[in-house]
Amino acid sequence: MMATNQRIWGFESNFGGLAEIAVVKANQLMPKPAHLTWAEAACNALCNSTSYRMIVSRNGSHMTQGQAVLVWGATGGIGAYATQYALAGGAIPVCVVSSEHKAQLCRSMGAELIINRAAEGYQFWKDEQTQDPKEWKRFGARIRELTGGEDVDIVFEHPGRETFGASVYVTRKGGTIVTCASTSGYLHEYDNRYLWMSLKRIIGSHFANYREAWQANRLIAKGMIHPTMSAVYPLQATGQAALDVHRNLHHGKVAVLCLAPRQGLGVRDHELREQHLTQINRFRNE
Ligand SMILES: NC(=O)c1ccc[n+]([C@@H]2O[C@H](COP(=O)([O-])OP(=O)(O)OC[C@H]3O[C@@H](n4cnc5c(N)ncnc54)[C@H](OP(=O)(O)O)[C@@H]3O)[C@@H](O)[C@H]2O)c1
């Protein structure tokens, strides 16, 4: 990841993976989980690896058992894997979402502490230039109410400008804010007193190295972490798929069929699939 010529395939080196033939390095290939369809297997590669590095890896927050983890967008592309990693690793996710349906998805994954940011109406910015520390405090108080008085050890950050000030504020003394994106704006502002005096760390994280990607894929293949595919689009509707994600109308991941002629193909381990069918289909819309 540190190499000057490091590039993420499909993002920094070429324009996505929707092609009949794609050229990749042999060591970028990973085994397809045998119990998943082509679409279910494809939708994990980016976000599952990214969340693994951010949450589990020593290069990220290196979460340990019992830690409280604030997950923004807890049913979104990366967030739904982060929620799963927190639960699977014995941590306590505090899931932030924007609808009751998403809150229900979090509960069905096993999360108990959920904040519906839309229902509770947090406004971290008074206007485009000014944040509102009272709202950070209200958010922090709500987290403590849910956790029984504790602050979060880790914040899984990606909304960026809109939430970063609040994220730094609510992190526990000595805790970690791990960030991989700035969906709402790249220029973050936070009150540095809450960072330095409370010995907090901000960690930048980008995708995953080969080992992290491999480990994350292995967990999917073993049925310990599950795909979050909600909808499948035909190739001609790729634009619509991107638009639905852009408008935040989706849940988890959406898939586009490229070479597979129809949904449901590619499963080789039916027994393992049967064991995890509920989890595999948890995010499906229909
Ligand atoms: N660096 C990397 O390697 C890497 C890898 C993958 C993704 N990313 C980036 O990470 C970001 C998230 O990706 P994703 O696939 O998870 O996207 P996504 O599926 O759209 O999910 C993001 C979720 O974040 C929440 N959110 C969006 N704007 C917000 C705001 N202003 N305040 C609070 N919450 C907000 C929304 O959840 P609610 O509405 O339910 O709260 C949304 O569902 C994107 O910017 C993406 O480009 C980076």
Side-chain angles (χ1 to χ4, degrees), residues 31-82:
K32 173 190 160 294
H35 66 303
L36 300 180
T37 64
W38 293 111
E40 288 160 358
C43 74
N44 305 306
L46 170 68
C47 291
N48 179 43
S49 312
T50 301
S51 299
Y52 179 92
R53 180 183 174 99
M54 290 174 75
I55 296 279
V56 182
S57 170
R58 268 177 290 186
N59 294 316
S61 64
H62 202 199
M63 182 196 81
T64 55
Q65 296 195 15
Q67 288 192 316
V69 185
L70 183 75
V71 182
W72 288 106
T75 61
I78 50 176
Y81 294 104

Side-chain angles (χ1 to χ4, degrees), residues 1 8 11 46-47 50-51 54 72-80 96-99 102 115 117-118 124 156-163 179-184 205-208 245-246 248 250-253:
M1 294 300 289
I8 293 179
F11 175 56
L46 170 68
C47 291
T50 301
S51 299
M54 290 174 75
W72 288 106
T75 61
I78 50 176
V96 187
V97 289
S98 64
S99 73
K102 290 178 176 180
I115 296 176
R117 68 181 174 99
F124 299 128
F156 182 85
E157 239 301 330
H158 51 93
R161 184 169 173 82
E162 192 123 339
T163 56
T179 173
C180 75
S182 294
T183 311
S184 64
S205 189
H206 192 38
F207 186 52
V245 171
H246 177 69
N248 201 13
H250 67 302
H251 301 115
K253 298 290 300 178

